[in-house]
Amino acid sequence: MGDSLFQLPDELLFTTLSHTFPCRDAQIRAVATLLHPHAAPCQNLVIHGTEATGKSAITAALLQALQEDTEKDEPLLRYVIINSIECITARHLYESTIAKVAEALQWRGAATRCDSVSQMVVELSKMLKYPSYPDKFRFVLVFDGIDRPREAPITLLPALARLSEIIPRITSVFIVTSPPASFLRTSFVPCIEFPNYTKNEFVTILNTTSLPTAPLPTTTIQETTELWNRFTAAVHDALARAASRTLPSLQHACTSLWPRFTAPILAGTHAPREFSKLMVAARVHFQDESLLDPGIVAIRSCSTTTQPQANNSAAALPSAPPSQANTPRKAGQFTTTTTPSKPKATANPFVSATTTDLSTLLPPTARLLLLASYLASHNPTRHDLVLFSTFHHGRRKRRGGLSVGTSGRGGHRGAQSKHRKIARKLLGAHAFVLERMLAIFTAVRGEWDPRWLDRDVDNTREMDADIEMAIATLASLRLLIRVGGAAAGGVAGDQMDRGGKWRCNVGWEVVRGLGRSMGVEVEEWLVE
């Protein structure tokens, strides 16, 4: 490397790393300057940034490149990476560090047991301080995720930061998410931030690393590249802030949406330069959450073989020729599953086949509470006794839509209901007291869910205990909204305060489908 006091690695090394990790050239050069033996090696280095910003991957790739670069003349750099999240206790971290250092140096006779940081310093001194090494030899200890250890003592980080004071050849690198002020308890520690990617950086990375290698069958490679560039910008605008905030999730979203986005081009209905029309055709796919994270939001499979074909045709994919559907049947041929039925007049059948509704996502107790909250929001309080009382009959009779005072006797309530122009279910939801909603839930749960009738079943107490959890779940999903403060004498902010006011935040179509999934016609319980 010569006799220069300060000399950076070869420029080819930075070019290769910048091509592998776009938009991180400044961070790569800064880390290389503070770790290279011939540049300005430091004792401690803090690398921080949010999730999926390239901290760990760039550090590992850079150290590997620096180690290979220094081996051209003499070995001046060695490193190990300790994943602190995988270490359960501090002792596990000490022993993992000693084992990896011994493996990197090919040291024999390292201790297999280490109970304290003092013993770890002794073992590291045996391997790094007392043996003879070149003058500018550096050993880099990288503690990845050191701010999230499971059972680490409070003195762990300050002790690791002082390893370089005892063993001058060591450089400790701490990769953290958000470092507190002076968390290493040392006078000066250089910090390098890996900020989150901007929109231009997101698009640049996606256009560099995830560009389709082969053009579309009906387009050229230039048209495919231009379409991909505009497509990634549209995906970022639609999903980056709401769902795909990190680079891996945005890459997954682009990979999942690209075949559906280009399906009209393959079908011949749109040209590659008609980007606006392609966006309109693929609008429903940008709203489908199951494409972003299929491990959490399940996709319902189709029960027949003809359903995927209908879904694909609705999504502008090539469909079967009409002549196949109108082929005359032979005598004695079964037609139960092959006879084409008239398609439903829906905007897009693909949505109903892939997205999940509340009847699938919510447990029974939460569904019952949501239906009870809808009734409490849309029924007047004065009709609760008539609708939900079981004092005389033990079970409420179905009324088919209650109409109070409509007997034609000219009563005041009859006059009000006669002049009503808008159905109550189409009006806005009113606020209700939590105690009233729980009373409605207690009155109807036995009729809506037969499991509540048998009090000797073991899961009854479990369902009673899940009521508070179900209310908290509905509130976190914004299906129930807290609109009032605490009752007199209550604690402000307590969700289970019986005097707090709430409002149902779902519409009539959602509630009707939710009720029918449990065999309940919600319209029979509304006062008109």
Side-chain angles (χ1 to χ4, degrees), residues 449-519:
D449 194 347
R451 290 180 298 175
W452 289 91
L453 295 177
D454 190 4
R455 292 298 177 180
D456 296 331
V457 181
D458 295 336
N459 62 354
T460 301
R461 295 187 183 91
E462 297 179 2
M463 295 178 69
D464 286 333
D466 288 342
I467 292 177
E468 296 183 1
M469 183 182 297
I471 294 177
T473 301
L474 295 176
S476 64
L477 296 175
R478 303 290 294 175
L479 302 177
L480 288 180
I481 298 179
R482 180 79 178 271
V483 296
V491 180
D494 185 10
Q495 287 189 349
M496 292 309 298
D497 178 21
R498 297 300 181 98
K501 291 187 177 181
W502 297 73
R503 185 175 67 248
C504 184
N505 196 32
V506 292
W508 164 246
E509 296 295 334
V510 177
V511 170
R512 182 173 62 178
L514 188 64
R516 288 179 178 177
S517 67
M518 304 182 67

Side-chain angles (χ1 to χ4, degrees), residues 215-502:
L216 297 173
T218 57
T219 61
T220 62
I221 185 64
Q222 182 179 1
E223 292 177 343
T224 303
T225 303
E226 293 177 357
L227 182 62
W228 173 263
N229 295 342
R230 300 185 65 181
F231 167 74
T232 53
V235 173
H236 179 274
D237 293 338
L239 303 176
R241 291 186 178 181
S244 302
R245 299 186 179 183
T246 62
L247 180 61
S249 60
L250 196 63
Q251 288 177 337
H252 172 71
C254 291
T255 305
S256 302
L257 290 172
W258 177 250
R260 295 164 175 82
F261 181 78
T262 57
I265 300 177
L266 300 179
T269 58
H270 294 77
R273 297 186 180 275
E274 297 177 344
F275 183 77
S276 300
K277 295 182 180 180
L278 291 173
M279 285 296 300
V280 173
R283 181 177 64 249
V284 63
H285 304 306
F286 283 83
Q287 300 172 351
D288 189 3
E289 297 180 357
S290 61
L291 298 175
L292 298 178
D293 201 345
I296 296 178
V297 182
I299 301 179
R300 292 198 298 268
S301 59
C302 300
S303 57
T304 61
T305 59
T306 59
Q307 185 67 23
Q309 184 178 357
N311 294 336
N312 293 337
S313 63
L317 292 178
S319 57
S323 59
Q324 296 180 3
N326 299 325
T327 303
R329 302 188 305 269
K330 296 181 181 180
Q333 183 178 1
F334 287 101
T335 59
T336 303
T337 58
T338 59
T339 302
S341 59
K342 184 178 180 180
K344 297 182 180 179
T346 55
N348 198 325
F350 184 80
V351 181
S352 61
T354 57
T355 56
T356 54
D357 50 8
L358 294 178
S359 61
T360 305
L361 298 176
L362 294 179
T365 305
R367 282 184 279 171
L368 291 175
L369 286 170
L370 188 58
L371 295 179
S373 66
Y374 186 84
L375 296 179
S377 291
H378 291 79
N379 280 335
T381 308
R382 63 178 180 270
H383 298 312
D384 288 352
L385 185 63
V386 180
L387 285 171
F388 309 110
S389 177
T390 58
F391 178 73
H392 295 288
H393 304 286
R395 183 176 181 182
R396 177 194 174 279
K397 297 181 180 179
R398 291 193 174 185
R399 290 166 171 76
L402 182 62
S403 180
V404 180
T406 59
S407 58
R409 297 182 181 180
H412 179 66
R413 293 185 180 178
Q416 286 184 350
S417 61
K418 186 181 298 183
H419 290 85
R420 184 180 298 277
K421 299 297 183 181
I422 303 176
R424 187 173 295 275
K425 65 184 176 229
L426 301 179
L427 298 176
H430 298 278
F432 59 86
V433 181
L434 180 62
E435 186 174 5
R436 176 173 172 243
M437 188 266 286
L438 294 177
I440 296 175
F441 168 75
T442 305
V444 300
R445 63 184 182 182
E447 184 174 351
W448 288 355
D449 194 347
R451 290 180 298 175
W452 289 91
L453 295 177
D454 190 4
R455 292 298 177 180
D456 296 331
V457 181
D458 295 336
N459 62 354
T460 301
R461 295 187 183 91
E462 297 179 2
M463 295 178 69
D464 286 333
D466 288 342
I467 292 177
E468 296 183 1
M469 183 182 297
I471 294 177
T473 301
L474 295 176
S476 64
L477 296 175
R478 303 290 294 175
L479 302 177
L480 288 180
I481 298 179
R482 180 79 178 271
V483 296
V491 180
D494 185 10
Q495 287 189 349
M496 292 309 298
D497 178 21
R498 297 300 181 98
K501 291 187 177 181
W502 297 73

Side-chain angles (χ1 to χ4, degrees), residues 199-222:
K199 177 184 176 180
N200 294 333
E201 292 175 345
F202 269 124
V203 175
T204 302
I205 295 173
L206 292 175
N207 296 341
T208 304
T209 60
S210 303
L211 184 68
T213 56
L216 297 173
T218 57
T219 61
T220 62
I221 185 64
Q222 182 179 1

Side-chain angles (χ1 to χ4, degrees), residues 68-86:
E68 295 175 356
D69 183 68
T70 56
E71 286 181 351
K72 296 178 181 179
D73 298 332
E74 55 181 349
L76 294 179
L77 181 68
R78 290 289 184 271
Y79 75 96
V80 294
I81 299 177
I82 300 96
N83 192 351
S84 306
I85 303 177
E86 297 178 354

